[in-house]
Each structure stands twice: as C-alpha cells, then as structure tokens.
Amino acid sequence: MARRRRAPTTLDTELTELPAELRWSEWLARVEAVLFAAPGIVNRDLLARVVGRDCSLELIIDDIRAALRERPYELVSIAGGWQLRTRPRHAEALHAAFGSKSAPVQLSQTEMLVLACIAYHQPVTRGELGEMVGKPVSRDIIAELRGRDFITAGPRSPQPGAPYTYVTTKAFLVHFGLDTLRELPDMEALEDAGLLDKEKLLAGGFPLAGEAEDDVELGDDEEGGDEGKGVD
C-alpha cells in the first residue's frame, strides 16, 4: 500500500497568539538557527521567511551579537548579508584541532595596487588604471584578478571605442570582510599599514612579464585598440 505523502506545513511567522516577549524570543531563535545552519552568507530575504512582517531584523541581529559577545564566534555583516564566524583569535586553536587551514590568497604588491585602484575608482578602464599607477597595466594582471573573482567587467566606457570598465565583485567583499564598498579604508591608511607602497612599486619598475611589446603600447592607448571591440 502506497504511503500517503504528508502535506508541507506552513510556518507561522506572525505568532500572534504569543505574548510579545515570547514572540520576540522565538523570532530571535529562528534567525539564529538559520544563521547557524547556513553554509554561507545569509541575506535579508532568507531571514524574512521565518519572522513576522513587523519584526525588525536589525534589532534581532543586534540582540544576537550581544548574546555572542563572550562566545568564540561572532555574527558579522558581509556583502549585504550576515554570517556566523569564529573569532580570529581562535584560528590557531582550530588549526591545532583540525590540522589544516585554508591558505590565504597571495596578491603581489602590483596586483594589490591595481585591485585597490579598481575598488576606489570603479568603474574604471585599463587605460585609466595605467594613468593612476603611472605605467601600463598588463592584461595578465587583469586576468589574475578576474580569475580570483575579485573583479569583473563593468559597463562600457563612454570614451571613444567604448572600452570595457572593471568593477569589484561580491566575492571581493566576502574575501576582505566588507559589508559594502563604503567600508573600504582610506588609501592613506593602507599605505600607513604597509599594504600598499606606490612609490616603492613604481621606483622598482612595474612588472609586465609575459606581455608582448606591442601589447604594452596598447596599454597606453587602449581606447583605440581591441578592448573597444569586446576583447578584454
């Protein structure tokens, strides 16, 4: 005899039969459960499915953060959503327990400089990037940053030839722990921290390895070249 399939239950999100205090506690528990079970970043739309229409997700998030203040993990805002993460100070303990940890993404000073220029000035063309750093930016550098999913093609520039522009991605925000681009630190702060040293970079020569001589010339005047034809 075939088993009768159970009809899916509809979650009561409004909880109107509960007193206000218990209703809030239940909403808070549901949101924390979703955040705990999620494999990645949780956006607002997903959390809104488990709470009532009058529930303030911002206040729920604040309450969860307050409850986790003394815990080894925290709730962080990333790329327009939220995620539970272990606190950085426990990284060595996790490494000792599990015997492995993900290797950090290694970017050269040149790649970091170009990425920073894109982040702060997007959308920006390769030619404009060359003007910012003082020397042509190779396609190899752009390809490396695109391969890591830190940047992607943006809208075509209104310049003659309509060259591609470049913009940062959601993966860029996630990797650098940013909620929005408004959280980017000042360029001067990056230089003070030793993460960027433009003068040292340019004094040592801008690496153009693997690039043909005519390709270098294109970097100085790419608007009339093949980038305006859809080749990036």
Side-chain angles (χ1 to χ4, degrees), residues 11 54-55 65 97 113 145 162 169 174 190 193 195 216:
L11 181 68
D54 296 330
C55 177
R65 282 176 171 157
L113 178 60
L145 295 176
T169 63
V174 172
L190 292 178
L195 297 177
V216 175

Side-chain angles (χ1 to χ4, degrees), residues 14-79:
E14 300 302 329
L15 302 174
T16 54
E17 296 182 358
L18 293 179
E21 184 176 347
L22 292 180
R23 182 163 59 245
W24 185 262
S25 296
E26 176 62 19
W27 282 341
L28 190 148
R30 289 180 180 182
V31 169
E32 187 171 353
V34 172
L35 291 166
F36 180 81
I41 298 169
V42 179
N43 61 32
R44 175 181 294 274
D45 290 342
L46 188 61
L47 295 181
R49 298 177 189 174
V50 299
V51 298
R53 289 168 291 182
D54 296 330
C55 177
S56 170
L57 285 174
E58 283 73 18
L59 293 179
I60 289 283
I61 294 298
D62 288 344
D63 280 2
I64 294 176
R65 282 176 171 157
L68 298 178
R69 192 166 291 130
E70 303 301 324
R71 305 300 296 168
Y73 44 90
E74 60 186 336
L75 181 58
V76 295
S77 298
I78 301 288

Side-chain angles (χ1 to χ4, degrees), residues 106-162:
Q106 297 294 332
L107 291 177
S108 68
Q109 278 278 336
T110 301
E111 293 163 348
M112 183 63 78
L113 178 60
V114 172
L115 180 59
C117 288
I118 295 173
Y120 284 93
H121 299 283
Q122 58 188 303
V124 58
T125 68
R126 191 161 66 92
E128 291 169 335
L129 288 171
E131 293 175 3
M132 292 176 191
V133 301
K135 294 188 178 182
V137 175
S138 73
R139 288 192 180 88
D140 289 343
I141 292 174
I142 295 297
E144 178 68 18
L145 295 176
R146 292 191 71 169
R148 295 183 184 276
D149 197 23
F150 286 157
I151 66 171
T152 189
R156 292 295 189 105
S157 170
Q159 300 173 13

Side-chain angles (χ1 to χ4, degrees), residues 119-120 122 172-173 178-186:
Y120 284 93
Q122 58 188 303
F172 168 84
L173 295 176
L178 301 173
D179 188 20
T180 69
L181 290 173
R182 290 189 296 271
E183 294 184 354
L184 283 169
D186 293 336

Side-chain angles (χ1 to χ4, degrees), residues 109 112-114 116 187 190-198 201:
Q109 278 278 336
M112 183 63 78
L113 178 60
V114 172
M187 289 283 279
L190 292 178
E191 292 185 357
D192 291 342
L195 297 177
L196 286 177
D197 191 343
K198 181 178 177 181
L201 247 177

